[in-house]
Amino acid sequence: MTDRATRFAAVYAVLTASHEVADHWVQIDDQAVTKGRPDRDGAIACFEHVLTYTATQAAALYAVQRATGMRLSWRRAALALSVSAVTHYVADRQGGHWRDENPQGVVRLAASTGHAGWLARDPNAGYLMDQAWHKGWIAVAAAVAAGGGR
């Protein structure tokens, strides 16, 4: 396995684990309830959530680098965290619900790509599609961070 492949695997693992912590433990209930609203309060709640989300991922990435001796370019790591943060904000700002007359964002995309039946049948489908979106972008972020040398 190449150094780049090893870095990718390690970065994907740490960004995914810290995503789970940030999305489910660090995010407070008010942010979770408010972040999708189409007003200023929604934007602020989402920004605050993404700020703590990104800080959690950054701290975890730093800790793993220190503990393992893995060497990442700080520029690539910052760009990777930016990819994760921006795509997380975009998805979380969409708001709405799959049962809405005009679903938004990730749910709308899922419905338009042949998942409307699943969304209608399974009350967890919207959440699962949201999480799959985040983890897909985390893979992109990990590839960005792992590329190149130090």
Side-chain angles (χ1 to χ4, degrees), residues 109-149:
L109 178 62
S112 71
T113 56
H115 298 90
W118 181 37
L119 289 164
R121 281 190 312 277
D122 185 346
N124 296 314
Y127 170 77
L128 293 171
M129 294 301 274
D130 172 76
Q131 292 300 297
W133 167 274
H134 293 319
K135 289 174 185 167
W137 282 106
I138 287 169
V140 172
V144 167

